[in-house]
Amino acid sequence: MAALPDTDVILFYDIPSSTPSTAWSPNTWKTRYALNLKRLPYRTVWVEYPDIAALLQSFGHAPTEPGTPTPYTLPAIFDPRTQRFVAESARIAAYLDDTYPDTPALSPKSLRPFQAAFQHAFATTVQPPILPLFLPRTHPLLQPASQPYFRRTREHMFRAALEEICPPPAHAQQWAAIERAFGVAAGWLDAAGDADGAGGQATLLGEGKLTHADLSVAGWLVWMRIVAGRESAEWRAVEGWHGGRWKKLLDVVEPWSDCSR
């Protein structure tokens, strides 16, 4: 294992875009939100896709997604306080809650099984229709150093060229599938508690209280907004889905969206 970093703040490993200091990844956004919300001092270390495996291996970390085309993934953090390297957003959220109990809890032990079940349901219901439309459109937003890796691994996943995964004639149909999937998720949230205003409940616990599961949904939404464009007709339509519920969620997390560190 390589020598541990010499740092006095948490190191947060994220994937850069072609725009300097701009976060985009739905998975790393989960941890960025968590660090910001907990007000923990940290510094972003930008890691290109081809370098992620070497980074995790240098800390002796096992693959985060073994058996997939992308066995090593981000987010990850290194905490100098404990000399711990932690990867995968749910594990990071639990680690931060346990290590910094005086900060807002995002993954309380009593809720971890429930949140894990929610995230599994979201990953199998909502994420699949998003990927064909948004992965190809993400490729040009990456740095040149990451584009070949991204293309190769995603084309392996879909067994098709990026340009053929969801060509423009299929966009309207794919958007409809995404809206239906988010409608299912809206039903889950409504079942979790009473509606808390126009558009229904936007977070699992209601009343603007945030959990790691909420930050996971927000991460996917912010990725969609970045790729589609904040002022695009596509994104304006998403903001109106299900009574404006998803816009409301992003409004709730907006105070924790700092990318400057």
Side-chain angles (χ1 to χ4, degrees):
M1 187 171 70
L4 296 177
D6 182 11
T7 177
D8 57 358
V9 299
I10 292 172
L11 299 182
F12 166 49
Y13 299 93
D14 199 352
I15 305 165
S17 71
S18 57
T19 303
S21 300
T22 299
W24 67 270
S25 165
N27 294 315
T28 59
W29 261 110
K30 304 170 192 177
T31 297
R32 185 176 295 277
Y33 280 135
L35 291 167
N36 288 338
L37 190 151
K38 289 175 174 288
R39 301 183 187 276
L40 295 171
Y42 73 93
R43 176 169 60 86
T44 302
V45 179
W46 299 103
V47 184
E48 300 289 353
Y49 267 111
D51 302 324
I52 294 174
L55 169 71
L56 269 67
Q57 290 168 348
S58 73
F59 284 96
H61 201 286
T64 50
E65 295 185 8
T68 73
T70 56
Y72 292 93
T73 61
L74 295 180
I77 63 168
F78 173 75
D79 186 353
R81 174 178 169 180
T82 60
Q83 300 288 286
R84 288 277 307 279
F85 180 87
V86 187
E88 200 276 317
S89 63
R91 291 189 177 93
I92 293 171
Y95 167 82
L96 294 176
D97 276 2
D98 295 344
T99 307
Y100 300 94
D102 294 333
T103 64
L106 294 170
S107 185
K109 290 182 179 178
S110 61
L111 289 182
R112 286 175 192 173
F114 172 64
Q115 291 201 71
F118 178 92
Q119 289 198 258
H120 176 75
F122 188 84
T124 55
T125 302
V126 183
Q127 291 174 203
I130 296 174
L131 294 175
L133 183 59
F134 281 86
L135 285 178
R137 297 168 70 178
T138 297
H139 179 264
L141 304 182
L142 301 177
Q143 293 277 6
S146 284
Q147 288 183 358
Y149 176 95
F150 187 89
R151 174 179 285 275
R152 182 178 68 255
T153 54
R154 276 59 186 179
E155 290 183 345
H156 180 80
M157 291 176 187
F158 283 89
R159 307 295 183 187
L162 280 180
E163 294 77 10
E164 298 172 358
I165 293 172
C166 187
H171 284 189
Q173 182 178 358
Q174 200 65 35
W175 272 114
I178 296 170
E179 182 178 4
R180 287 193 300 272
F182 270 101
V184 174
W188 301 335
L189 294 172
D190 284 342
D194 294 332
D196 60 351
Q201 184 160 309
T203 63
L204 279 176
L205 300 182
E207 300 178 353
K209 297 176 183 177
L210 289 167
T211 66
H212 174 66
D214 298 312
L215 300 185
S216 298
V217 178
W220 282 77
L221 287 167
V222 78
W223 174 44
M224 292 169 60
R225 186 176 68 187
I226 290 168
V227 173
R230 187 187 289 261
E231 303 303 323
S232 69
E234 291 175 321
W235 180 250
R236 292 303 186 195
V238 175
E239 289 185 323
W241 288 352
H242 314 117
R245 180 193 306 266
W246 311 114
K247 180 182 184 300
K248 182 177 181 179
L249 174 58
L250 289 188
D251 288 344
V252 171
V253 302
E254 182 62 28
W256 319 115
S257 299
D258 178 28
C259 280
S260 63
R261 289 186 279 172

